Amino acid sequence: MKFSILIVILSVISNLWLVFLILIHGKNRETKRYFILMTLGIIGWIIFNFLSNYIKDYFPVLLFNKLIFVSTAIAAWAFFLFSNVFPGKEILLKRSLFWASTFGLLGTIGISLSPCLVRDVTIKENVSEINFGWGMYVYVIFLIGCLLAGLVRFFYKYKLASNFRIKKSILLFGGGMIIFLSFSILTNLLFPFLLKEFQFTNLAPLYTIIFLGFTLFSILRYEFLETKVILVEMIVGLMGLLLIAQFLMSQTLVFFLFNGSILGLFCIFAYYLVKATHEEAKRRE
């Protein structure tokens, strides 16, 4: 299996693991909803970006390139809303602004799916190149607007926070988000749009892994999103990813069956280990 495909698979599984942890352990319904929606948008971006460069049929490639813009617009919108509810509502979001951002999202999705943004695609060996239309300017304005508004709100909430744990969790999450956005915007937005350079778009999964690392550390160390995750779950998740990578890289049928058996046994062992750990944690409480 190619290394690029392996990275995409591991990145998607890692982000789905994060969604699962937040869904199970997160306490606040609003923060969970928007954070999970943002993460699913990022997962969609990873998958559609990979498929747009991997598949060689014109119409699927055209569709996947359109869906890249749809998924990233949803992720940016969810990030903006998330910044208004985490860690608290010190900065209230006006209803008019909420509906304006929502209608802006719907308009951006409509433009992304139309020929106004992606006019045409050219399929090359390892990448597909987009011929952009005027809708790209609308998309950029919406995307950058949501991201900047979200980051500014996080900055003000960091300044207002008096709780050390919350302050540190905002700092870690914000730092990971800034690094993630900086590289993503540079290689997947500015290079293709301004320089017509599309070769670096395949690096997208690596940026999400960096962001994931910051977020998981924030959860483990400072209970980000009020999520109490036991260290065992983190270790189980990491070992699971390594075993999945080993399984996917099997070169022969014998190794494929052997690694698959190890992965299956590990899943059973991990289930009972995490279950027993949670039961022990509840008894201590």
Side-chain angles (χ1 to χ4, degrees), residues 183-220:
F183 284 105
S184 300
I185 290 173
L186 182 66
T187 61
N188 290 70
L189 183 63
L190 296 181
F191 280 4
F193 185 45
L194 299 179
L195 304 179
K196 308 302 179 184
E197 178 58 67
F198 293 84
Q199 293 294 329
F200 298 103
T201 57
N202 290 313
L203 298 176
L206 296 177
Y207 311 147
T208 64
I209 291 176
I210 295 173
F211 170 65
L212 184 69
F214 274 84
T215 305
L216 287 176
F217 182 76
S218 181
I219 290 174
L220 184 63

Side-chain angles (χ1 to χ4, degrees), residues 111-152:
I111 290 174
S112 299
L113 293 174
S114 72
C116 299
L117 202 163
V118 181
R119 288 179 177 172
D120 193 16
V121 292
T122 302
I123 301 174
K124 295 191 175 180
E125 184 177 355
N126 296 316
V127 71
S128 62
E129 298 184 353
I130 300 173
N131 178 17
F132 295 106
W134 62 264
M136 187 62 177
Y137 296 100
V138 177
Y139 168 81
V140 170
I141 291 172
F142 176 80
L143 184 80
I144 300 301
C146 286
L147 296 177
L148 283 179
L151 289 173
V152 168

Side-chain angles (χ1 to χ4, degrees), residues 2-285:
K2 291 183 178 180
F3 180 73
S4 59
I5 300 177
L6 181 63
I7 291 296
V8 169
I9 294 174
L10 292 179
S11 178
V12 170
I13 293 174
S14 300
N15 279 280
L16 288 174
W17 177 246
L18 175 61
V19 168
F20 174 76
L21 291 177
I22 299 298
L23 187 63
I24 298 299
H25 298 295
K27 295 180 180 179
N28 187 293
R29 183 177 298 179
E30 278 190 307
T31 55
K32 283 202 304 184
R33 180 170 62 240
Y34 293 134
F35 186 85
I36 289 174
L37 181 60
M38 179 186 71
T39 307
L40 291 177
I42 292 173
I43 291 172
W45 171 53
I46 297 170
I47 294 173
F48 297 136
N49 183 73
F50 169 74
L51 292 175
S52 69
N53 293 327
Y54 186 75
I55 294 177
K56 301 305 177 186
D57 294 330
Y58 176 80
F59 287 106
V61 170
L62 180 65
L63 175 62
F64 291 137
N65 274 293
K66 292 175 182 289
L67 291 176
I68 288 173
F69 296 100
V70 172
S71 58
T72 49
I74 292 173
W77 177 74
F79 171 70
F80 168 66
L81 296 181
F82 175 70
S83 70
N84 288 278
V85 297
F86 176 81
K89 297 182 179 179
E90 296 90 347
I91 306 174
L92 294 176
L93 177 65
K94 294 181 180 180
R95 184 171 294 273
S96 59
L97 188 57
F98 169 80
W99 286 112
S101 66
T102 303
F103 286 124
L105 171 67
L106 295 176
T108 303
I109 290 176
I111 290 174
S112 299
L113 293 174
S114 72
C116 299
L117 202 163
V118 181
R119 288 179 177 172
D120 193 16
V121 292
T122 302
I123 301 174
K124 295 191 175 180
E125 184 177 355
N126 296 316
V127 71
S128 62
E129 298 184 353
I130 300 173
N131 178 17
F132 295 106
W134 62 264
M136 187 62 177
Y137 296 100
V138 177
Y139 168 81
V140 170
I141 291 172
F142 176 80
L143 184 80
I144 300 301
C146 286
L147 296 177
L148 283 179
L151 289 173
V152 168
R153 284 177 179 268
F154 271 120
F155 173 77
Y156 278 112
K157 288 189 175 185
Y158 176 80
K159 299 281 286 184
L160 292 173
S162 56
N163 185 292
F164 175 79
R165 178 177 56 81
I166 292 177
K167 208 174 183 71
K168 286 294 184 179
S169 66
I170 294 175
L171 184 63
L172 273 172
F173 173 77
M177 179 59 74
I178 289 173
I179 294 173
F180 167 67
L181 291 177
S182 298
F183 284 105
S184 300
I185 290 173
L186 182 66
T187 61
N188 290 70
L189 183 63
L190 296 181
F191 280 4
F193 185 45
L194 299 179
L195 304 179
K196 308 302 179 184
E197 178 58 67
F198 293 84
Q199 293 294 329
F200 298 103
T201 57
N202 290 313
L203 298 176
L206 296 177
Y207 311 147
T208 64
I209 291 176
I210 295 173
F211 170 65
L212 184 69
F214 274 84
T215 305
L216 287 176
F217 182 76
S218 181
I219 290 174
L220 184 63
R221 185 69 178 83
Y222 300 109
E223 296 180 7
F224 177 62
L225 297 182
E226 300 180 23
T227 303
K228 293 184 179 180
V229 177
I230 301 172
L231 181 61
V232 171
E233 291 177 303
M234 293 289 194
I235 296 174
V236 165
L238 178 60
M239 291 182 64
L241 285 175
L242 294 176
L243 289 175
I244 290 172
Q246 179 177 288
F247 171 71
L248 294 175
M249 294 179 68
S250 301
Q251 298 294 326
T252 64
L253 179 61
V254 174
F255 279 107
F256 184 82
L257 294 174
F258 177 74
N259 292 330
S261 301
I262 293 177
L263 179 60
L265 291 172
F266 172 78
C267 290
I268 297 172
F269 169 76
Y271 170 77
Y272 286 105
L273 175 63
V274 172
K275 182 180 178 181
T277 306
H278 276 285
E279 291 175 351
E280 179 63 24
K282 288 180 180 179
R283 281 197 294 268
R284 290 182 179 181
E285 291 176 357

